[in-house]
């Protein structure tokens, strides 16, 4: 057992209590943030005359030495310590002696862990954003190359109207773009430094919180020291944004699984992103897409877990908050892995354009356009809808499609049909004429792609 607080105790902590209470097995993830925060803290203490410059230099030298040794694998993070903060402090004192004991002046583990977690989360926000950007780039490439790759669009998973692959991918582009906007908002809102809040009531030392905030790349210090140590809103917001990303990835995965099925064959997932069966030699399974869909559950779980942990906590710090870490780390890693693998899978997937086009050509995806044709010939839309409904029924009965009927046959249903009907309901026309903003018509899609190209060229969180 190695703890920072033995003074007022007369007995050793029970071993099970110690283990239950300890967090080092998972908060060792915060090692780099802990060292970085401590360096900023002592730099400020010296600037304020609370430490001498020599003391500061000795402590910083000790801290950077610990960091180098851990990074080089010469020093293991020993789980006999209660938490990562104790590990760093104890090692510092071992290394530089009594001056190391001054590190924690004017600081509590409450503001320390609040800072570490915030620094770590901020970095995760940036990394997640960069991975989303990679995915968006892949989607945009597919969009550019498939302005005229026709496919059926679905409602209720029933063929509805024709669209293009560019348009379909464009829908996901918008979702992941919003996901990035959410991350950017979270970044701006969370980018305030809790260091200097102490246990919860600040301190009597003349700390310069603006200075440490600046050293650590924050917009400024947080404004209420009680809130500073008790706030995990930013983490909940991030888990919520991560959940939303997973929800989008999961929907996309579901479609890819369907598209990759033998019945659809719209896409073929690359061998490198597929797996086989131990018994059925013919199988090539979309496991990556299924796992991404499946892992959505654990990310939602992390969000629910932290929301629930926080809901009954009186101010300020409570040990319950230690429970933020494992679930949050797991969710952050899961989402990054999913994004990386998903982007790889999508960028290597082959599209079966022939199958998509063929599928769009049957199933009456042009029925709306046939009705619109009659409207253009002066038939009120509701009547046109009824006429085309009867026409579809007729075609189903004859096992044929609207455009395969002769003009005579069409005219038995409505005398408004003329020879220009065939062009009006061709796949090309159906798509090309859809020129409202956001529609699949290649001309409007080109404009959307141009907007999105400019968007991707903008500076991102990484450059903040
Ligand atoms: N391991 C703790 C956590 O993650 C660090 C803060 C401990 N503070 C305290 N007063 N026990 O929340």
């Amino acid at each position: 057992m190695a703890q920072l607080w033995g003074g007022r105790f007369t007995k050793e902590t029970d071993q099970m209590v110690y283990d239950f209470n300890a967090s080092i097995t998972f908060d060792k993830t915060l090692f780099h943030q802990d060292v970085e925060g401590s360096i900023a803290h002592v730099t400020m203490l010296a600037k304020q005359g609370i430490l001498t410059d020599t003391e500061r230099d000795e402590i910083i030298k000790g801290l950077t030495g610990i960091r180098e040794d851990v990074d080089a694998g010469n020093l293991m993070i020993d789980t006999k310590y209660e938490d990562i903060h104790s590990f760093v402090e104890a090692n510092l004192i071992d290394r530089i002696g009594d001056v190391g004991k001054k590190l924690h002046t004017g600081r509590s583990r409450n503001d320390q862990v609040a800072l570490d977690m915030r620094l770590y989360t901020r970095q995760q926000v940036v990394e997640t954003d960069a991975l989303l950007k990679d995915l968006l780039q892949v989607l945009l490439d597919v969009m550019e190359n498939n302005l005229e790759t026709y496919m059926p669009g679905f409602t209720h998973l029933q063929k509805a109207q024709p669209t293009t692959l560019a348009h379909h991918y464009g829908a996901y582009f918008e979702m992941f773009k919003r996901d990035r906007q959410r991350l950017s908002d979270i970044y701006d809102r969370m980018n305030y430094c809790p260091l200097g809040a102490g246990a919860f009531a600040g301190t009597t030392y003349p700390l310069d919180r603006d200075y440490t905030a600046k050293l650590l790349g924050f917009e400024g210090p947080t404004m209420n020291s009680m809130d500073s140590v008790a706030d995990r809103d930013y983490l909940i917001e991030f888990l919520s944004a991560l959940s939303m990303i997973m929800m989008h990835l999961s929907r996309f995965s579901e479609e890819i699984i369907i598209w990759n099925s033998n019945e659809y064959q719209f896409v073929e997932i690359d061998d490198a992103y597929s797996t086989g069966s131990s018994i059925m030699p013919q199988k090539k399974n979309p496991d990556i897409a299924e796992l991404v869909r499946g892992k959505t559950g654990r990310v939602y779980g992390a969000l629910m877990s932290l929301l629930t942990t926080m809901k009954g906590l009186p101010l300020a710090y409570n040990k319950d908050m230690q429970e933020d870490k494992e679930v949050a780390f797991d969710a952050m890693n899961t989402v990054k892995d999913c994004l990386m693998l998903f982007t790889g899978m999508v960028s290597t997937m082959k599209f079966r354009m022939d199958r998509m086009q063929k599928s769009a050509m049957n199933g009456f995806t042009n029925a709306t356009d046939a009705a619109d044709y009659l409207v253009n010939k002066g038939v009120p839309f509701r009547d046109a809808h009824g006429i085309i409904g009867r026409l579809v029924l007729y075609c189903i009965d004859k096992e044929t499609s609207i455009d395969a009927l002769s003009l005579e046959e069409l005219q038995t249903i409505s005398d408004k049909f003329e020879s220009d009907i065939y062009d009006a309901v061709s796949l090309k026309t159906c798509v090309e004429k859809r020129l409202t903003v956001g529609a699949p018509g290649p001309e409007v899609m080109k404009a959307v792609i141009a907007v999105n190209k400019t968007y991707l060229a903008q500076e991102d969180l990484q450059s903040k």
Side-chain angles (χ1 to χ4, degrees):
M1 290 187 216
Q3 59 216 17
L4 297 170
W5 38 263
R8 63 100 64 220
F9 288 79
T10 53
K11 268 192 192 170
E12 279 284 297
T13 319
D14 178 273
Q15 187 62 47
M16 267 176 72
V17 171
Y18 185 83
D19 293 343
F20 189 67
N21 188 53
S23 53
I24 189 145
T25 52
F26 50 88
D27 67 15
K28 62 182 180 190
T29 305
L30 301 174
F31 170 69
H32 284 100
Q33 289 69 25
D34 202 68
V35 171
E36 191 190 351
S38 289
I39 292 175
H41 183 62
V42 291
T43 306
M44 178 276 296
L45 290 179
K47 182 177 97 59
Q48 298 303 96
I50 304 164
L51 291 183
T52 66
D53 287 358
T54 322
E55 287 169 335
R56 173 198 61 201
D57 293 346
E58 274 181 68
I59 295 175
I60 291 180
K61 197 161 161 251
L63 288 169
T64 47
I66 295 172
R67 182 164 59 193
E68 275 162 28
D69 287 351
V70 168
D71 287 349
N74 298 331
L75 175 63
M76 298 313 279
I77 297 178
D78 190 339
T79 49
K80 79 169 192 255
Y81 294 97
E82 182 187 342
D83 52 31
I84 192 64
H85 326 297
S86 317
F87 165 80
V88 173
E89 193 174 318
N91 264 275
L92 183 69
I93 296 166
D94 280 351
R95 247 166 227 250
I96 64 169
D98 277 356
V99 61
K101 295 181 180 166
K102 296 193 173 187
L103 166 66
H104 210 53
T105 314
R107 191 174 67 169
S108 156
R109 276 185 298 170
N110 297 352
D111 62 340
Q112 189 176 357
V113 79
L115 171 68
D116 292 1
M117 200 59 190
R118 216 176 262 241
L119 285 172
Y120 187 83
T121 304
R122 186 177 68 179
Q123 178 58 24
Q124 295 298 315
V125 170
V126 171
E127 287 177 23
T128 308
D129 180 67
L131 290 170
L132 277 171
K133 193 174 175 183
D134 292 344
L135 174 57
L136 285 177
Q137 191 55 61
V138 168
L139 297 184
L140 197 65
D141 290 346
V142 173
M143 287 164 71
E144 272 201 286
N145 295 326
N146 290 283
L147 287 168
E148 287 174 32
T149 303
Y150 303 125
M151 61 173 286
F154 298 84
T155 62
H156 314 271
L157 202 54
Q158 308 269 337
K159 285 181 204 177
Q161 291 174 343
T163 185
T164 64
L165 181 57
H167 190 236
H168 198 107
Y169 265 44
Y172 285 105
F173 191 100
E174 296 304 318
M175 295 179 221
F176 293 120
K177 190 165 142 187
R178 286 196 297 275
D179 287 331
R180 291 190 74 209
Q181 288 161 350
R182 264 183 281 277
L183 293 183
S184 172
D185 291 346
I186 291 168
Y187 185 102
D188 290 344
R189 202 164 21 252
M190 73 170 288
N191 199 22
Y192 292 89
C193 185
L195 185 64
F200 77 88
T203 130
T204 52
Y205 297 101
L207 304 188
D208 186 344
R209 294 195 59 209
D210 288 292
Y211 183 64
T212 37
K214 199 162 158 237
L215 287 178
L216 294 164
F218 288 103
E219 200 53 40
T222 49
M223 281 293 113
N224 179 292
S225 56
M226 217 179 237
D227 176 54
S228 309
V229 294
D231 169 29
R232 296 292 180 274
D233 289 8
Y234 69 91
L235 196 51
I236 294 176
E237 280 193 58
F238 185 39
L239 291 175
S240 163
L242 291 179
S243 296
M244 194 86 83
I245 293 169
M246 289 306 291
M247 183 269 286
H248 291 149
L249 285 176
S250 184
R251 291 181 79 173
F252 207 162
S253 293
E254 168 75 6
E255 286 197 335
I256 288 171
I257 293 162
I258 294 172
W259 289 8
N260 187 64
S261 70
N262 198 261
E263 283 67 25
Y264 274 72
Q265 294 176 44
F266 281 10
V267 297
E268 188 180 346
I269 299 175
D270 194 72
D271 277 6
Y273 285 87
S274 308
T275 48
S277 156
S278 61
I279 176 170
M280 298 166 280
Q282 84 284 12
K283 294 278 282 200
K284 191 175 136 186
N285 295 327
D287 288 30
I288 299 307
E290 289 173 15
L291 272 173
V292 170
R293 188 178 58 184
K295 283 176 191 291
T296 305
R298 64 202 274 178
V299 178
Y300 289 5
L303 171 63
M304 282 307 133
S305 170
L306 191 55
L307 275 170
T308 312
T309 296
M310 296 303 292
K311 75 179 261 298
L313 299 190
L315 293 178
Y317 179 82
N318 298 270
K319 192 65 173 235
D320 315 45
M321 287 157 74
Q322 179 166 290
E323 287 297 308
D324 63 352
K325 293 179 192 59
E326 285 160 291
V327 289
F329 295 157
D330 181 71
M332 292 167 187
N333 290 333
T334 300
V335 175
K336 284 196 298 182
D337 286 350
C338 287
L339 278 169
M340 261 182 280
L341 280 150
F342 191 87
T343 301
M345 179 179 71
V346 169
S347 63
T348 51
M349 206 163 70
K350 302 247 174 341
F351 297 104
R352 295 280 311 270
M353 287 137 181
D354 54 328
R355 297 271 317 173
M356 290 182 173
Q357 174 145 344
K358 205 164 150 217
S359 171
M361 283 172 69
N362 49 55
F364 307 102
T365 61
N366 55 2
T368 313
D369 294 82
D372 290 343
Y373 170 87
L374 292 178
V375 170
N376 282 325
K377 301 277 174 186
V379 182
F381 180 76
R382 195 46 61 212
D383 292 340
H385 188 284
I387 294 168
I388 301 300
R390 285 195 296 282
L391 182 60
V392 167
L393 208 54
Y394 177 84
C395 290
I396 291 172
D397 191 45
K398 293 240 147 60
E399 292 189 7
T400 185
S401 60
I402 298 175
D403 40 300
L405 295 176
S406 69
L407 192 54
E408 292 71 45
E409 275 176 297
L410 286 167
Q411 284 171 343
T412 59
I413 308 246
S414 166
D415 58 6
K416 300 285 181 198
F417 284 119
E418 291 172 54
S419 58
D420 56 352
I421 176 67
Y422 297 104
D423 182 52
V425 298
S426 78
L427 213 45
K428 194 168 161 64
T429 311
C430 290
V431 171
E432 253 172 23
K433 287 223 168 127
R434 291 187 142 70
L435 291 172
T436 40
V437 174
E443 286 315 309
V444 283
M445 276 303 306
K446 272 185 205 159
V448 168
I449 288 171
V451 168
N452 285 331
K453 265 195 177 160
T454 314
Y455 156 75
L456 281 183
Q458 275 165 16
E459 69 158 30
D460 50 31
L461 288 182
Q462 204 133 38
S463 49
K464 272 207 178 187

